Amino acid sequence: MHCSVSGEVPEEPVVSKKSGLLYEKRLIERHISEYGKCPITGEPLTMDDVVPVETGKIVKPRTVQTASIPGMLGMFQNEWDGLMLSNFALEQQLHTARQELSHALYQHDAACRVIARLKKERDEARSLLTQAERQIPMFASEAVIANSSVLSNGKRAAEDDDMAQPGKRVRPGISASIITELTDCNAALSQQRKKRQIPPTLAPIDALERYTQLSSHPLHRTSKPGILSIDIQYSKDIIATGGVDATAVIFDRPSGQIVSALSGHSKRVTSVKFVAEGEFLLTGSADKTVRVWQGSEDGNYDCRHILKDHTAEVQAVTVHATNNFFVTASLDNTWCFYDLSSGLCLTQVADTSKTDGYTSAAFHPDGLILGTGTSEAVVKIWDVKSQANVAKFEGHVGPVTAISFSENGYFLATAAHDSVKLWDLRKLKNFRTLNLYDSDTPTNSVEFDHSGSYIGISGSDIRVYQVGSVKADWNCIKTLPDLSGTGRATCVKFGPESNYIAVGSMDHNLRIFGLPGEEAPLES
């Protein structure tokens, strides 16, 4: 007889009075305590309805294999054989997995070697291509200029746009005649610099100490506030600003009026630069283009060239001392040397080192060397004639946001997230570091004035220092607050003879600081 619940022979059998079914006592007790009914019929059931059954002691029969010692040995042998077979299968699987892993490692190593070889061949090919481009005779440049399409309404013709794709346009290189022009300019300016004296009309230190805000001019849209770059044309005392709203604004400071608003870029204008002689203005943008604007007598500016040689954001534009050439620097890790009159890129120099691109650039006052700042906190000095990297300055933290050469010819100031560093170009070393702000406040701009007597720095405020020497102190003579309320003064520029200071911030206002009573319009 078997239990109706477990199907086993019960040790303590009991019988239900109602159904006559046989159960194991402990099982039926538990079921009744939980459910109060018969597990088979489902009728109500209590322990009073269950009657114990007296039976003889049950002896479970042994299996055949365990009934004797030979049977048990045979069973052990079977188990051992199964264990050995399973172990053998596991060893085979382990050996196969090791072979597959070894093969995968060899493949990975071979792939890495192939990639390294291809990168080396690519760099060598680029180097050879650059050298070949520099050796193309100048008549190729003249042919390209002669065949260039006519510009109208600030746009190139369709065929010129096709040639504007990087890598497809002919780069004639910097010819011998251009190098001669650059060298002659350098010699003339260097000779003048030796006789150069501080102009008597320069604003004195006590005047700068009394500078305060004279006016605030809302030049850009409030929907996308922010002035990223400022430049001043000293001969006419007009100011150009580049904004986050993708426009550049020409502002006449004496009259307090906007001369022209230049639209055409599709993204923020990161750099604006006047050409000292002529009516040209250069604008670089995050839309990867550079535009050359030419002013007219009525104050309007027309776009003469749209330059599309870069493949990433253009971060800086700087004009050569001859006023015939300019350089643009981009996050695509290249800088381009242009002829101003034709808008032709004479050469595009790529840096083969692993950097994330250029964030700033400036020509030396004499014009034969170019300084560039990278996003990896390195300042690089280039020989313009050979396009070779002749010096490298390290020590900053964060992208180099601004570069400025002093008019004395041997001081270089660089700004980055951490500080402003001053470099001696004669000994190629850092002789002073100005730690102005805390670690969370970047230094956004640094600028020598035209005389080389003062240096302006902007971050969470604007500070003006008196230029000293390598050993003498550089004293802070004035601290101007950032009145925009943003805590980010992005650019600073000294006016003619340092008679005022123009400041741009991350709001839409251009602010003029100077001596009280010298600025007619308070608000524009």
Side-chain angles (χ1 to χ4, degrees):
M1 294 189 299
H2 301 279
C3 174
S4 299
V5 176
S6 64
E8 302 289 336
V9 178
E11 296 179 0
E12 293 184 67
V14 293
V15 176
S16 172
K17 295 179 182 179
K18 295 183 177 181
S19 62
L21 296 173
L22 181 69
Y23 300 102
E24 176 73 58
K25 182 178 180 181
R26 56 185 175 79
L27 294 178
I28 196 64
E29 281 183 349
R30 183 177 299 176
H31 191 276
I32 291 174
S33 64
E34 292 181 1
Y35 302 103
K37 59 182 179 179
C38 177
I40 305 301
T41 63
E43 298 177 356
L45 187 67
T46 64
M47 288 304 296
D48 295 335
D49 299 327
V50 176
V51 178
V53 177
E54 296 295 334
T55 61
K57 186 176 181 181
I58 299 173
V59 179
K60 295 182 181 179
R62 295 180 179 179
T63 61
V64 177
Q65 291 82 0
T66 59
S68 63
I69 291 177
M72 296 178 66
L73 291 176
M75 183 176 65
F76 292 155
Q77 183 65 48
N78 292 335
E79 292 292 333
W80 175 258
D81 292 342
L83 179 61
M84 290 299 100
L85 290 173
S86 176
N87 186 48
F88 178 74
L90 288 175
E91 287 182 352
Q92 281 188 323
Q93 293 177 0
L94 176 61
H95 180 68
T96 303
R98 284 178 174 174
Q99 286 183 327
E100 292 176 352
L101 178 59
S102 177
H103 183 65
L105 290 175
Y106 278 123
Q107 283 185 326
H108 179 267
D109 182 65
C112 291
R113 291 176 183 272
V114 171
I115 292 173
R117 177 174 58 82
L118 292 176
K119 284 186 175 180
K120 182 179 179 181
E121 292 176 355
R122 179 202 64 186
D123 294 339
E124 291 176 352
R126 285 180 175 176
S127 178
L128 292 174
L129 179 61
T130 303
Q131 293 177 4
E133 289 173 348
R134 293 173 187 168
Q135 295 172 359
I136 296 177
M138 188 57 192
F139 66 80
S141 171
E142 295 173 354
V144 171
I145 296 173
N147 294 328
S148 61
S149 50
V150 179
L151 306 176
S152 65
N153 298 326
K155 297 182 179 179
R156 291 183 180 271
E159 57 269 26
D160 190 60
D161 285 336
D162 294 337
M163 293 182 63
Q165 297 301 322
K168 296 182 180 180
R169 182 191 292 253
V170 175
R171 307 282 189 238
I174 301 178
S175 66
S177 61
I178 295 177
I179 291 178
T180 301
E181 183 179 357
L182 301 182
T183 305
D184 292 344
C185 177
N186 173 76
L189 292 177
S190 298
Q191 188 65 27
Q192 294 176 8
R193 185 162 285 105
K194 295 179 181 179
K195 303 177 181 180
R196 195 169 185 271
Q197 296 181 353
I198 297 177
T201 55
L202 180 70
I205 295 177
D206 58 346
L208 267 73
E209 291 176 343
R210 293 181 286 121
Y211 275 13
T212 184
Q213 178 173 313
L214 302 179
S215 59
S216 176
H217 308 277
L219 304 185
H220 293 268
R221 292 199 296 264
T222 57
S223 58
K224 292 183 178 180
I227 296 176
L228 302 179
S229 180
I230 288 178
D231 197 29
I232 301 175
Q233 191 176 48
Y234 294 130
S235 60
K236 296 184 177 180
D237 199 4
I238 58 175
I239 302 173
T241 62
V244 178
D245 59 358
T247 61
V249 176
I250 311 297
F251 175 75
D252 183 70
R253 189 199 66 87
S255 65
Q257 301 296 321
I258 294 177
V259 176
S260 182
L262 311 181
S263 300
H265 287 293
S266 59
K267 294 184 180 179
R268 62 184 183 275
V269 177
T270 56
S271 181
V272 294
K273 190 67 65 175
F274 279 111
V275 179
E277 297 179 3
E279 302 292 336
F280 290 101
L281 174 70
L282 310 175
T283 58
S285 171
D287 63 7
K288 309 176 187 178
T289 67
V290 178
R291 289 177 179 253
V292 180
W293 309 83
Q294 185 173 18
S296 57
E297 294 181 357
D298 57 2
N300 294 324
Y301 280 75
D302 297 323
C303 182
R304 293 291 306 277
H305 304 292
I306 303 176
L307 311 177
K308 303 178 181 179
D309 298 280
H310 288 293
T311 59
E313 294 185 9
V314 178
Q315 291 287 298
V317 180
T318 179
V319 180
H320 189 266
T322 59
N323 296 309
N324 295 327
F325 309 99
F326 65 94
V327 162
T328 62
S330 168
L331 290 180
D332 64 4
N333 208 25
T334 67
W335 57 269
C336 293
F337 187 91
Y338 288 94
D339 176 77
L340 177 63
S341 60
S342 65
L344 177 66
C345 178
L346 300 179
T347 184
Q348 185 170 16
V349 181
D351 191 352
T352 57
S353 61
K354 296 181 179 179
T355 61
D356 291 333
Y358 298 115
T359 52
S360 54
F363 268 116
H364 186 272
D366 292 341
L368 283 187
I369 63 174
L370 173 72
T372 59
T374 70
S375 57
E376 294 185 348
V378 179
V379 179
K380 296 184 178 182
I381 305 299
W382 303 81
D383 181 354
V384 178
K385 294 188 296 182
S386 63
Q387 299 94 58
N389 182 204
V390 295
K392 184 184 295 184
F393 298 147
E394 299 177 339
H396 273 300
V397 175
V400 180
T401 54
I403 289 179
S404 180
F405 288 94
S406 172
E407 285 294 323
N408 63 18
Y410 49 83
F411 284 162
L412 169 65
T414 58
H417 186 93
D418 56 337
S419 61
V420 170
K421 291 185 179 292
L422 302 170
W423 309 86
D424 187 348
L425 298 177
R426 297 165 296 183
K427 298 182 179 179
L428 299 179
K429 69 175 185 178
N430 170 230
F431 66 89
R432 192 173 305 278
T433 299
L434 303 177
N435 295 303
L436 308 179
Y437 308 109
D438 56 42
S439 58
D440 296 329
T441 304
T443 307
N444 298 318
S445 175
V446 62
E447 183 79 21
F448 282 102
D449 79 314
H450 191 64
S451 69
S453 302
Y454 306 115
I455 185 172
I457 303 168
S458 65
S460 60
D461 55 24
I462 304 94
R463 303 189 187 190
V464 180
Y465 280 76
Q466 180 186 14
V467 173
S469 64
V470 173
K471 296 182 179 180
D473 291 337
W474 295 48
N475 299 317
C476 181
I477 57 180
K478 183 64 177 179
T479 299
L480 302 170
D482 176 27
L483 300 178
S484 68
T486 63
R488 289 183 59 190
T490 55
C491 42
V492 59
K493 191 79 174 179
F494 288 94
E497 311 298 348
S498 299
N499 289 325
Y500 66 86
I501 300 174
V503 175
S505 303
M506 285 308 292
D507 65 349
H508 63 291
N509 290 301
L510 169 69
R511 289 177 170 81
I512 305 297
F513 292 85
L515 287 177
E518 295 190 2
E519 182 79 4
L522 181 62
E523 286 287 337
S524 161

